[in-house]
Structure formats: C-alpha cells, structure tokens
Amino acid sequence: MLVLTRRIGERLRIGADIELVVLDVRGRDVRLGVNAPSSVAIHREEIYLKIQDNNRAAALGQPGLTDALARAARELRLRKPEPQAKDGTQCARPSVH
Amino acid sequence: MTMLETALVFQSPKLGDVSYTTEDVVRFPQGIPGFEQLRDFLLVTREECDPFIFLAALERPEVALPLMPLTPATLGGRASRAALAPLGDAGDDAVVYYAVASIGLNASEIIVNLRAPIVINLDTRLGCQVILPDETLPIAAPLPA
C-alpha cells in the first residue's frame, strides 16, 4: 500500500483522471473530495463489501436457496397471474433471455 | 435467415445444460462486486422459479445469481445516466433492472438487494451492477408485496 501524508487542501492525483483532496479534518473525521469521470464508481468501502458478500452468498448457493426460490416464485405467481413471457424479441430461446 | 447461429451448450451444475448462441451472452465489462474478474454471463430461466431468473457466469459455471425482475413500482431508484454510460446507448425499453435474490436470516425467506440492482442494456447486451446513491434503500429487503 502506498502511504502518503497530506494536509488540508492538499491533493492526490490518481492515474490521469482522478483527483483526491483533503477538505477538512475534525477530530477523527476526515472530509475528502474526489474528482473523477462520472463513469467511475465511488463508494464507501463498507457498502461495497456488503454488496460483495451479498452477491457471493447469492451466487454460490446457500443451502435451501433453490427451494426457497421455488416457494417464493409460487407465491408470487399466485399473487399476480400476469403473462409471464416478456417481449418476445428479448427471448432468444425458451430457456435463455 | 441466411446465417446459421452456432448452438453452444453451457453446462451449469445448478441449472443443467443450457443451449445458447453468442448473441445471448450478456457482457459485464467491470464484472460485479465479489466477481470482479468475470465478464460473460447468460440470463437463464427455470420454469419452477419464474419470475426469478438466473445470471449464470460462463467462466465459472458454479456462479449463478438468482435475480428478481424489478418493475417501476418495485425499483427503488433509477441509475444515473453517468452510471449507465458503460452500457452504451439504449432504446426506450432496452434497459432492464433486476434485484439479486438470496436467503435472509430466516432461512426460508428470500431477500432482495434493492440498493444495488443489476442493470442490463438489452440492445447492446452489456450489463453492470449499480450501487444506487440512496442510502435508505435496503440490501436485504423482503420480497415486495
């Protein structure tokens, strides 16, 4: 990890397009500003980690997930008897969207 | 049709054999959180799980995320144009939103992630997972009524 010390008002340049500035320090809180292209996603790490965990749990098969899905699916279909097929141009095959 | 599409088969341990063509593949240029290296996915349906579908990773067959389609009523918020820029230009109905579904603390109930929907541009076949800025949106919401 690269470690640098900055004072309030000082900046970091990351790559060609990203700039980080220390705006303020109050006690333990550091206020940071970031300038980056709008296509670069910037998030607090805690939220990113929560979403990582959520995706991994969903993807790698929690025990009972398929059964719970099938049950929930039945309940949803009972609640809303709408046509299940979407616009036909979206479905290349019966089993693949 | 003047050209034959080559039929390919994806062998998924969870979903069985899935026939598809290269046009069915949805590409995630940035992967998704937790699977940042994966790029090529299929959207696969299973009748018993409808309306849930599965986002299956071609490069890692054991990875298959259950998704619930989001409607204007259930979608917590739309991604900004900037966030969707990597997906390319889209016609009116080409951008679709899904919530990742998983099991909640109550092991028999499904929860859905409304904070970070999977967004797919059906015209360009590009997708991403967008973390919406609204911090009140839940990552573990019960199924919408």
Side-chain angles (χ1 to χ4, degrees), chain A residues 44 48 55 59 77 92 97, chain B residues 14 24 33 36 43 50 129 135:
Chain A
R44 291 180 174 79
Y48 190 86
N55 283 349
R77 288 197 298 271
H97 279 229
Chain B
K14 283 181 206 153
D24 295 322
E36 289 82 356
L43 291 172
D50 180 77
Q129 185 165 25
E135 293 182 351

Side-chain angles (χ1 to χ4, degrees), chain B residues 13-119:
Chain B
K14 283 181 206 153
L15 306 169
D17 287 355
V18 180
S19 301
Y20 71 101
T21 69
T22 51
E23 291 182 349
D24 295 322
V25 175
V26 181
R27 186 160 178 89
F28 280 63
Q30 295 150 346
I32 58 171
F35 302 101
E36 289 82 356
Q37 311 309 316
L38 299 182
R39 294 290 175 269
D40 292 333
F41 293 80
L42 292 177
L43 291 172
V44 182
T45 57
R46 284 188 74 182
E47 206 177 312
E48 68 272 20
C49 293
D50 180 77
F52 296 99
I53 64 173
F54 295 85
L55 185 68
L58 285 172
E59 296 137 302
R60 263 186 80 178
E62 71 274 20
V63 172
L65 284 86
L67 301 182
M68 187 185 74
L70 291 170
T71 65
T74 55
L75 179 59
R78 291 198 171 266
S80 67
R81 195 170 302 158
L84 296 185
L87 303 188
D89 292 332
D92 282 343
D93 293 323
V95 176
V96 289
Y97 288 73
Y98 300 92
V100 176
S102 56
I103 288 195
L105 293 174
N106 175 348
S108 63
E109 291 203 338
I110 295 293
I111 52 167
V112 290
N113 181 350
L114 297 178
R115 177 74 193 274
I118 297 283
V119 189

Side-chain angles (χ1 to χ4, degrees), chain A residues 70-83:
Chain A
R71 244 191 336 268
R74 272 195 303 274
E75 275 172 41
L76 284 173
R77 288 197 298 271
L78 285 171
R79 277 189 231 164
K80 290 183 198 177
E82 281 170 293

